[in-house]
Amino acid sequence: MKSVYPESSRLTTCFFRLLPLQLTRIVLVTGLIGCCNLLDAQNTYYWVEGSGVWNDLSHWATTSGGTTKHTIVPSILDDVVFDANSFTGAGQTVTVNQEAYCMDFTWDGVTNNPGFVASGFNLNVDGNFQVSGGVFTYTHANGNLLVSGDFLVDGVDMSFNKSGGVFSVDGNLTLANNSMSFFRTSGSLIVGGAFTMQNLTPASFSASSASIDVAGDFLMDNAPFAFNPGSGAVSVGGNFSIVNGATNYTHSNTLTVGGSLTLNAACTFNQLSTVIFNATTTGKTITSAGKSFTNVRFDGAGGEWILQDDFKATGTTDHYTGIFRSNGHEVDYGQYFDGDDGGTVRTLDYTGTDTVRVQYQYRLNTSASTVLTMGSAVLLLRTTGAIEQIIEGGGKTFGNVVIDHLNNSTSSYYIRFRDNNTTYGDMSITFNNRSRIYLKTPATPLEMYRLRTPGLKT
C-alpha cells in the first residue's frame, strides 16, 4: 500500500492516529481484526523567504534555506522550523491565516527581528514549542495557542502578547535566561506541568481578567520583574515559590496553593485577595520571609502546613480543614480567626509559640474533631476599632488570654465569651470608655475597667 502523495514515505505498523480534518493529505488504511496499518509521513518544514502567510507553500522548504518546497501545508504530524535562513530582512512577519497545525514548533537562532502573528485563528502544536537564540516577537489575538508538550523559551529577547482565547500547555512552561515582556489581556493560561521563570532580566508579566491554572509547581527564581496576574484567579497544584530576586508580585484575585509556599526577603508580595492553602497531604511548609498576607484560608482535608517563620495576615484567616503547626513561630491572624465554619476536622498546634494574635474574633468549633494545643502560647485579642470582640472557645483548653479593647468610641461595644466548658488560664482584660463584657449571654452586662480572673471557666 502506498500514499497518493509522494511525500508519505514512512510506514507505521499497528498504530492509529486520528488527524484533524484538513484537506491536505489522503491516507489509505487497511487492517485486520486487532491490527491496522497506517501510512503517514512526518516531515520537517523550514520557513524561507521572509514575510508570508502560513498556507503559502512558497515559504515551506524541505531543508534549511532550501529551494525545494513542500506541496501541502504542515499537518499535526510535521515539525516546523524557523531559523537563521528564514528571513531576508528586518521586521518581516509570519502570519497565521488559517487553523494551523504542527508537531514540534522550533524558533532557533532567527535573525532580523521578525514577528509571528496570528489573529482569529488557532495554532495547534502537538509536540513541543521551543524558542532559543535571537529575538522572538509573538502576537496572537482571539485564537487559541494549544501545546501538547512543553513550552520553552530560553536565551531569547522575547515579546509575547496573547490576548483573547486560551493559552494551554499540557507539559511544562519554562521561560529562562532572557529578557521578556509577556502580556495576557484576557482568556486563560493553563499549564499541565510546572510554570518556571528563571534568570530573567527586568521585564513584565501582566494579565487582565485572565485565569492562570498550573497543575504543577510555580517557580520564580532570580526573576526581578513585575508579575501581575491581574483580576483573574491563580491556582497552583504544587509548590508556589518566589526565590532569589526582587520580584514584584501583585494580584487582586484568589491564589490557591496545593503545596508549600516560599517567599524571599527581597521580593514584594502584594497578594490583595485570599490565599487558599488546599493541600491534601502532610509536610507542606509556609515561608513568608517577613511578608504579610491579606486573607488566608486553610482548607485541605488531610493537609498539613508547618510554619518556617512568623505568620501574619492583615485581613481575616479561616481554618476549615487540615493541620496547622506554628512550629514555635509567632502567629498573627489579622482581624479575625474562624476555626468554626467550613468543616470540623482541624488541628491547631501552637507548641513553642509565644503569642497568637488576632484583633477582634477567635472562634473554634465545639466538635471533638477540632483539636487545640496551645502549649505555653498566650492568646491576645487587641483592637482599637469600635467593634465587638468575641471568643468562641469551642469547649477547648486555653492558656493565658489577654484582651485589649482600646477604642475611643462613646458608644457601647461588647466583649463576648461563648461556648460552655471552655477553660482559660490567667485572663487580663483592658477596657476603654463604654465597653461591656458578656460571659455567655447574661441578662445584664457587667461593666468593668479591668478584670483579672485566674482560672476563669465559662
Side-chain angles (χ1 to χ4, degrees):
M1 180 181 74
K2 96 179 155 176
S3 168
V4 297
Y5 282 93
E7 289 185 338
S8 298
S9 58
R10 189 177 64 201
L11 180 64
T12 303
T13 305
C14 294
F15 175 80
F16 178 79
R17 186 170 209 160
L18 181 62
L19 302 181
L21 182 60
Q22 302 179 89
L23 297 178
T24 59
R25 178 172 297 151
I26 299 175
V27 177
L28 302 180
V29 180
T30 63
L32 300 175
I33 297 176
C35 182
C36 66
N37 292 326
L38 173 62
L39 187 64
D40 66 78
Q42 180 179 10
N43 299 290
T44 301
Y45 283 62
Y46 294 86
W47 186 267
V48 295
E49 299 181 15
S51 291
V53 295
W54 184 272
N55 65 2
D56 185 346
L57 297 177
S58 68
H59 290 282
W60 290 119
T62 58
T63 59
S64 176
T67 58
T68 302
K69 307 300 174 56
H70 288 281
T71 57
I72 54 175
V73 297
S75 78
I76 207 166
L77 301 175
D78 303 313
D79 297 336
V80 298
V81 176
F82 302 86
D83 62 13
N85 296 317
S86 293
F87 301 96
T88 58
Q92 295 178 337
T93 302
V94 179
T95 302
V96 175
N97 64 336
Q98 65 170 49
E99 186 93 1
Y101 299 88
C102 67
M103 178 60 72
D104 287 346
F105 180 105
T106 301
W107 187 282
D108 183 20
V110 171
T111 58
N112 292 314
N113 194 20
F116 189 97
V117 177
S119 180
F121 296 100
N122 300 332
L123 174 58
N124 304 274
V125 180
D126 201 47
N128 298 320
F129 191 111
Q130 303 176 78
V131 179
S132 57
V135 177
F136 184 51
T137 301
Y138 183 96
T139 304
H140 195 167
N142 301 320
N144 300 328
L145 173 56
L146 307 176
V147 181
S148 296
D150 295 333
F151 184 100
L152 171 65
V153 179
D154 189 358
V156 175
D157 291 333
M158 177 183 180
S159 176
F160 189 98
N161 190 338
K162 180 72 179 71
S163 59
V166 174
F167 178 17
S168 176
V169 179
D170 291 348
N172 299 321
L173 194 163
T174 304
L175 309 172
N177 308 311
N178 55 64
S179 174
M180 177 196 64
S181 182
F182 192 105
F183 299 95
R184 287 279 303 155
T185 58
S186 62
S188 59
L189 169 59
I190 303 169
V191 182
F195 185 6
T196 301
M197 287 159 282
Q198 194 166 38
N199 299 326
L200 303 178
T201 56
S204 66
F205 179 108
S206 62
S208 175
S209 303
S211 62
I212 300 176
D213 191 343
V214 180
D217 294 339
F218 176 95
L219 172 64
M220 300 186 71
D221 181 7
N222 191 26
F225 65 90
F227 186 96
N228 186 350
S231 60
V234 175
S235 177
V236 177
N239 300 325
F240 180 98
S241 304
I242 302 176
V243 298
N244 301 322
T247 301
N248 188 324
Y249 181 95
T250 301
H251 184 212
S252 61
N253 205 325
T254 57
L255 167 63
T256 301
V257 179
S260 298
L261 181 142
T262 303
L263 304 177
N264 80 90
C267 79
T268 300
F269 187 68
N270 291 324
Q271 173 59 34
L272 304 177
S273 185
T274 303
V275 178
I276 302 173
F277 294 97
N278 68 345
T280 56
T281 57
T282 59
K284 309 307 179 187
T285 61
I286 300 175
T287 304
S288 305
K291 313 305 175 185
S292 61
F293 303 94
T294 303
N295 304 318
V296 176
R297 182 185 305 154
F298 298 99
D299 188 14
E304 179 191 43
W305 304 275
I306 305 169
L307 295 187
Q308 303 301 295
D309 53 11
D310 294 348
F311 173 91
K312 179 178 176 61
T314 58
T316 62
T317 304
D318 299 314
H319 190 150
Y320 289 174
T321 56
I323 301 168
F324 176 88
R325 300 193 191 279
S326 66
N327 196 27
H329 298 287
E330 299 302 287
V331 177
D332 186 342
Y333 284 130
Q335 296 174 12
Y336 72 74
F337 172 78
D338 181 1
D340 186 15
D341 300 318
T344 60
V345 183
R346 60 175 69 83
T347 295
L348 299 161
D349 182 358
Y350 303 124
T351 301
T353 292
D354 179 72
T355 306
V356 177
R357 293 175 170 81
V358 67
Q359 292 180 31
Y360 56 82
Q361 189 172 141
Y362 187 96
R363 300 172 56 218
L364 290 179
N365 195 280
T366 58
S367 169
S369 297
T370 294
V371 178
L372 173 68
T373 302
M374 289 298 299
S376 59
V378 174
L379 176 62
L380 170 62
L381 276 75
R382 175 177 289 162
T383 183
T384 58
I387 195 169
E388 290 187 343
Q389 288 179 304
I390 298 172
I391 297 182
E392 292 184 11
K396 316 304 177 188
T397 298
F398 289 77
N400 296 338
V401 177
V402 176
I403 300 175
D404 292 337
H405 202 211
L406 306 177
N407 75 83
N408 293 315
S409 173
T410 57
S411 300
S412 295
Y413 293 94
Y414 307 104
I415 300 172
R416 301 180 184 271
F417 292 86
R418 297 174 179 167
D419 297 335
N420 292 327
N421 302 315
T422 297
T423 300
Y424 301 97
D426 287 352
M427 181 174 290
S428 174
I429 304 176
T430 302
F431 298 130
N432 269 8
N433 296 323
R434 296 175 55 83
S435 300
R436 300 168 180 245
I437 182 170
Y438 280 84
L439 305 181
K440 296 178 63 177
T441 52
T444 303
L446 180 62
E447 295 190 22
M448 296 182 177
Y449 172 75
R450 187 172 178 83
L451 171 68
R452 284 186 62 84
T453 8
L456 176 67
K457 187 170 184 178
T458 63

